[in-house]
């Protein structure tokens, strides 16, 4: 692999005004390359380029069906390079190679899904009587700034970029400083399909420097941020200063409620994917299981079995779909997660299995199950962002909902039961943007996703997301006679 990677501004590959950052392989801790770091001046150049393209009308005025075709072609380009991209993603992020391939496919799917809808962003006519003709149309905001986290660098960028381009916006992406390498594929895809220079700009930089400069730039018309709550607050504050809208996709502490009539054998699969996929570094991870007391012991036993069944090690050695897990993104994130487990143990939690870093180089943490958790403990309220499942018992339905709703977050939730009425009631009572019934992560790119409470606002995915990228104009025409 190349030693040094550059930023992509106005169609050119350039060094960064803020120097470079080392990029490490989480599986070994070794630095394997460096990436240019953008300064505020680089951000300004990127926004200026994106603004120029926006004002030129090159994208905005294109027939939507043609624009949509370009967006779809970008997805095809990613798929055509799936193996290369996946290998790089595993190297920078730590996930098993097969998970990286799923991420590339998932990223491509966003371009397919949104590209296909470009011509469906229709306005309406508003009846005002015989003397008028009135209609609405949806126009792109202009320059969309997209600030990306490290856990799914490809899918998170693809999600916002594809919808923004589909609706005719130009884009400046601030890629994550720990996993910046694969984001350049979006620049390559934009070049490949022939988007005008400056339409898509990809730059890596530190959050407090390039990120803050982008969020506060007066030339930005809309912001999409995916990341932590404190950063979300900083970005919303910057957006407010410039009076531009933003979408915040923040963290979660999402809970599955498992009733006494649930199929616990099937639920093992939900544990496997819900908390151990991407080593638990998923904003919508199933980090809490709230189980009826009559099934508690059985559930804990089954969860421990799932955790112990996973082989943990370097993602590059794990090419095949299967019972395995890779490194966490960094030693720092791993130590934070294992520190939270230790702190929980000191407060009376029982480590059923896992909880320790692996005795080898790399950011590995054993798949962990914690029992004896009460809703007031820090481990039950704060996001671990690692492979750590907390199990809490409940006595009746009302208590289950109360525990599920007892955190500041509200991203997703789950209900596991064979009683449809009970599931429907619970779905209505859970304070979360998405509720899964009998399958964690049910849904797809087609289903709207976003938070209640401190999990953020605005929706990504689904038709709903398209409306984040357009503003409505009303045209009222006075007719003669
Ligand atoms: P983070 O908030 O530290 O960083 C996210 C991005 O923001 C990075 O690109 C970073 O450089 C940038 N940033 C940091 N400070 C900034 C500032 N002051 N101004 C502008 N930009 C700044 O989050 P992270 O640690 O990279 O990601 C983990 C968090 O993201 C978790 O809390 C997780 O739940 C959340 N997340 C949410 C979703 C979702 O869709 N809801 C998806 C993935 C991750």
């Amino acid at each position: 692999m190349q030693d040094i990677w550059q930023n992509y501004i106005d169609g050119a590959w350039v060094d960064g005004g803020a120097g470079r950052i080392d990029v490490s392989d989480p599986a070994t801790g070794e630095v394997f390359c460096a990436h240019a770091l953008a300064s505020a001046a680089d951000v300004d150049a990127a926004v200026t380029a994106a603004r120029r393209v926006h004002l030129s009308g090159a994208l905005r005025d294109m027939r939507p069906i043609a624009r949509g075709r370009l967006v779809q072609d970008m997805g095809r380009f990613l798929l055509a390079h799936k193996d290369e991209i996946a290998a790089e993603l595993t190297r920078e992020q730590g996930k098993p190679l097969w998970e990286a391939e799923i991420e590339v496919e998932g990223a491509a799917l966003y371009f397919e899904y949104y590209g296909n809808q470009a011509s469906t962003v229709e306005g309406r006519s508003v009846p005002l009587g015989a003397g008028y003709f009135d209609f609405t149309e949806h126009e792109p905001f202009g320059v969309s700034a997209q600030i990306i986290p490290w856990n799914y660098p490809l899918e998170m960028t693809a999600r916002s970029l594809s919808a923004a381009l589909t609706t005719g916006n130009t884009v400046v992406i601030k890629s994550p400083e720990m996993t910046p390498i694969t984001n350049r594929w979006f620049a390559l895809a934009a070049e490949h399909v022939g988007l005008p220079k400056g339409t898509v700009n990809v730059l890596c930089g530190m959050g407090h420097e390039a990120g803050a400069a982008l969020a506060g730039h007066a030339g930005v018309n809309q912001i999409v941020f995916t990341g932590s709550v404190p950063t979300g607050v900083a970005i919303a504050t910057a957006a407010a200063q410039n009076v531009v809208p933003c979408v915040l996709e923040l963290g979660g502490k999402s809970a599955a409620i498992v009733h006494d009539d649930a199929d616990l054998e099937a639920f093992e699969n939900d544990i496997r994917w819900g908390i151990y996929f991407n080593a638990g570094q998923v904003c919508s991870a199933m980090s809490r299981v709230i189980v009826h007391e009559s099934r508690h012991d059985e559930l804990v036993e089954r969860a421990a079995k799932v955790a112990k069944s996973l082989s943990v090690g370097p993602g590059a050695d794990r090419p095949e779909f299967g019972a395995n897990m890779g490194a966490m993104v960094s030693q720092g994130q791993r130590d934070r997660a294992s520190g939270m487990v230790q702190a929980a143990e000191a407060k009376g939690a029982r480590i059923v299995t896992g909880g320790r870093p692996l005795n080898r180089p790399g950011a590995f943490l054993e798949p962990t199950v914690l029992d004896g958790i009460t809703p007031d403990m820090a481990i039950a309220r704060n996001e671990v962002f690692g492979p750590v499942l907390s199990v809490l018992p409940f006595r009746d339905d009302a208590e289950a909902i109360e525990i599920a709703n007892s955190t500041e977050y509200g991203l997703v939730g789950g209900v596991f039961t064979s009683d449809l009425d009970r599931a429907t009631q619970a779905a209505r009572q859970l304070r979360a943007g998405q509720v899964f019934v009998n399958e964690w992560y049910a849904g797809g790119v087609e289903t709207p996703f976003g938070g209640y409470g401190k999990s953020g606002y605005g929706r990504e995915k689904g038709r709903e997301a398209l409306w984040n990228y357009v503003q409505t104009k009303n045209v009222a025409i006075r007719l003669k006679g």
Side-chain angles (χ1 to χ4, degrees):
M1 186 186 281
Q2 201 169 308
D3 287 344
I4 294 167
W5 299 97
Q6 292 176 303
N7 290 327
Y8 185 73
I9 298 175
D10 203 5
W13 296 96
V14 293
D15 288 329
R20 289 184 186 139
I21 189 167
D22 287 340
V23 183
S24 307
D25 182 341
T28 61
E30 284 165 14
V31 171
F32 66 95
C33 67
H35 200 289
L37 278 181
S39 62
D42 295 325
V43 168
D44 184 54
V47 173
T48 303
R51 186 162 178 74
R52 188 195 67 237
V53 178
H54 169 62
L55 294 177
S56 77
L59 210 62
R60 183 188 59 198
D61 298 341
M62 197 183 280
R63 185 168 175 175
I65 206 161
R67 198 167 60 222
R69 242 180 247 137
L70 295 179
V71 173
Q72 291 196 311
D73 283 348
M74 288 177 71
R76 289 191 196 98
F77 177 84
L78 297 179
L79 285 180
H81 295 276
K82 183 169 92 174
D83 293 349
E84 274 166 275
I85 305 174
E88 289 178 16
L89 180 58
T90 288
R91 192 90 194 270
E92 67 176 354
Q93 207 279 339
K95 62 188 69 188
L97 204 48
W98 62 270
E99 282 195 33
E101 286 170 10
I102 290 177
E103 184 168 346
V104 180
E105 289 163 7
L109 197 56
Y110 282 110
F111 288 90
E112 180 181 356
Y113 174 70
Y114 283 119
N116 195 31
Q117 295 185 50
S119 54
T120 71
V121 184
E122 297 167 337
R124 65 190 177 102
S125 72
V126 182
L128 288 179
Y132 296 90
F133 177 56
D134 186 288
F135 62 94
T136 62
E137 43 178 33
H138 301 294
E139 296 185 343
F141 274 106
V143 178
S144 171
Q146 311 190 340
I147 300 176
I148 309 297
W150 46 258
N151 61 338
Y152 281 95
L154 282 175
E155 279 198 271
M156 296 300 95
T157 303
R159 183 167 85 175
S160 309
L161 175 63
S162 58
L165 291 176
T166 289
T167 43
N169 296 274
T170 58
V171 180
V172 179
I173 295 160
K174 210 295 280 167
S175 63
E177 51 270 57
M178 276 197 279
T179 58
I181 307 296
T182 46
N183 256 255
R184 79 174 190 292
W185 286 96
F186 297 109
L188 295 171
E191 264 183 0
H192 174 77
V193 305
L195 285 175
K197 288 182 191 335
T199 306
V200 175
N201 303 272
V202 185
L203 33 92
C204 177
M206 300 308 288
H208 59 85
E209 190 171 12
L214 183 59
H217 198 291
V220 164
N221 305 108
Q222 183 255 9
I223 303 174
V224 187
F225 170 71
T226 307
S228 63
V229 175
T231 309
V233 171
I235 285 170
T237 305
Q241 297 285 348
N242 286 325
V243 197
V244 297
C246 63
V247 176
L248 299 181
E249 295 285 4
L250 310 179
K253 189 72 191 178
S254 302
I257 296 174
V258 179
H259 285 287
D260 53 2
D261 58 356
D263 178 347
L264 289 198
E265 191 178 343
F267 189 67
E268 287 182 12
N269 211 36
D270 300 286
I271 296 169
R272 193 267 171 266
W273 298 109
I275 190 63
Y276 300 126
F277 194 53
N278 205 30
Q281 301 161 114
V282 184
C283 49
S284 47
M286 187 181 77
S287 52
R288 295 181 295 155
V289 169
I290 303 168
V291 57
H292 189 262
E293 56 187 2
S294 67
R295 309 292 300 276
H296 168 271
D297 294 355
E298 182 189 350
L299 184 132
V300 170
E301 202 175 300
R302 287 182 186 272
K305 184 178 91 181
V306 173
K308 287 178 187 162
S309 74
L310 301 173
S311 103
V312 183
D317 300 345
R318 282 157 176 73
E320 304 291 339
F321 178 93
N324 57 55
M325 202 178 84
M328 293 182 68
V329 73
S330 70
Q331 208 110 321
Q333 284 295 313
R334 195 271 312 274
D335 293 347
R336 181 181 164 275
S338 64
M340 287 178 77
V341 172
Q342 280 169 14
E345 193 179 24
K347 291 279 180 201
R350 180 170 73 92
I351 300 177
V352 180
T353 184
R356 286 167 313 197
L358 293 200
N359 187 18
R360 58 174 296 164
F364 297 102
L365 182 64
E366 292 173 331
T368 304
V369 178
L370 300 179
D371 191 20
I373 309 289
T374 53
D376 56 315
M377 287 183 183
I379 196 82
R381 314 184 78 81
N382 302 330
E383 192 176 37
V384 178
F385 223 56
V388 178
L389 179 69
S390 294
V391 181
L392 299 92
F394 73 87
R395 276 184 298 274
D396 56 44
D397 292 16
E399 189 188 17
I401 297 287
E402 191 185 320
I403 298 171
N405 286 342
S406 67
T407 75
E408 292 186 316
Y409 292 112
L411 195 51
V412 303
V415 194
F416 293 78
T417 174
S418 47
D419 181 337
L420 187 59
D421 285 346
R422 194 182 225 174
T424 310
Q425 296 290 1
R428 293 215 166 119
Q429 290 167 344
L430 283 169
R431 278 201 305 272
Q434 186 170 29
V435 177
F436 306 127
V437 176
N438 290 336
E439 185 187 278
W440 198 265
Y441 294 142
V445 296
E446 306 91 334
T447 49
F449 173 78
Y452 281 27
K454 289 204 171 160
S455 291
Y457 49 72
R459 293 293 177 266
E460 290 276 73
K461 302 166 79 170
R463 293 276 298 158
E464 278 77 358
L466 287 171
W467 312 118
N468 295 326
Y469 299 91
V470 291
Q471 48 198 339
T472 301
K473 177 175 282 180
N474 182 265
V475 181
I477 304 172
R478 177 80 172 103
L479 300 174
K480 275 196 193 140

